[in-house]
Amino acid sequence: DFVSNFALVHSRFSTNTFPSWDRAQPNRVSCHNGEINTLRGNKNWMHTRSGLAVSPYFGTESTRELFPICNDNMTDSGNFDAVLETLCKGGDETLPETVMSMVPEAWQND
């Protein structure tokens, strides 16, 4: 059973892919509604480091079973949410710290 003090309903499909229930926004950890400009970089980062990933919460072998976390059948928000959930549950950083590690700082003229 799951108990929550609030509920969130997101009633539309992803906007940059063909609509399907499989691609509906997951909203498990993040409630993001927009395109992520760093998507390819984030997916490459996760793929590259998948062989080195170890979590004391999951153990060495179980951590490897979590991969691949990203896939091309999910939306950008779905991939972002899957990575955020994995990093939050498998690490010691807080949710805000993990989000900050996933989103690059804004910059202009530098």
Side-chain angles (χ1 to χ4, degrees):
D1 292 333
F2 182 77
V3 177
S4 177
N5 293 326
F6 66 93
L8 172 72
V9 176
H10 188 278
S11 61
R12 67 179 191 138
F13 295 106
S14 61
T15 56
N16 60 348
T17 57
F18 190 75
S20 71
W21 278 113
D22 292 343
R23 291 185 152 200
Q25 303 299 332
N27 296 332
R28 289 185 309 267
V29 180
S30 67
C31 293
H32 177 269
N33 187 21
E35 294 187 21
I36 298 172
N37 295 328
T38 60
L39 179 63
R40 179 53 50 197
N42 285 344
K43 288 170 79 172
N44 287 340
W45 184 89
M46 290 302 293
H47 177 71
T48 301
R49 287 158 180 81
S50 62
L52 304 173
V54 176
S55 170
Y57 299 102
F58 299 121
T60 303
E61 291 305 314
S62 294
T63 299
R64 289 193 179 105
E65 291 177 18
L66 297 173
F67 289 91
I69 294 168
C70 298
N71 75 62
D72 291 333
N73 293 322
M74 291 193 298
T75 63
D76 52 357
S77 295
N79 279 296
F80 184 89
D81 194 73
V83 171
L84 183 60
E85 180 179 31
T86 303
L87 293 176
C88 284
K89 291 183 176 180
D92 292 324
E93 285 82 23
T94 65
L95 178 60
E97 290 170 333
T98 305
V99 169
M100 291 299 292
S101 73
M102 291 179 62
V103 178
E105 286 187 43
W107 59 275
Q108 183 176 355
N109 299 327
D110 188 23

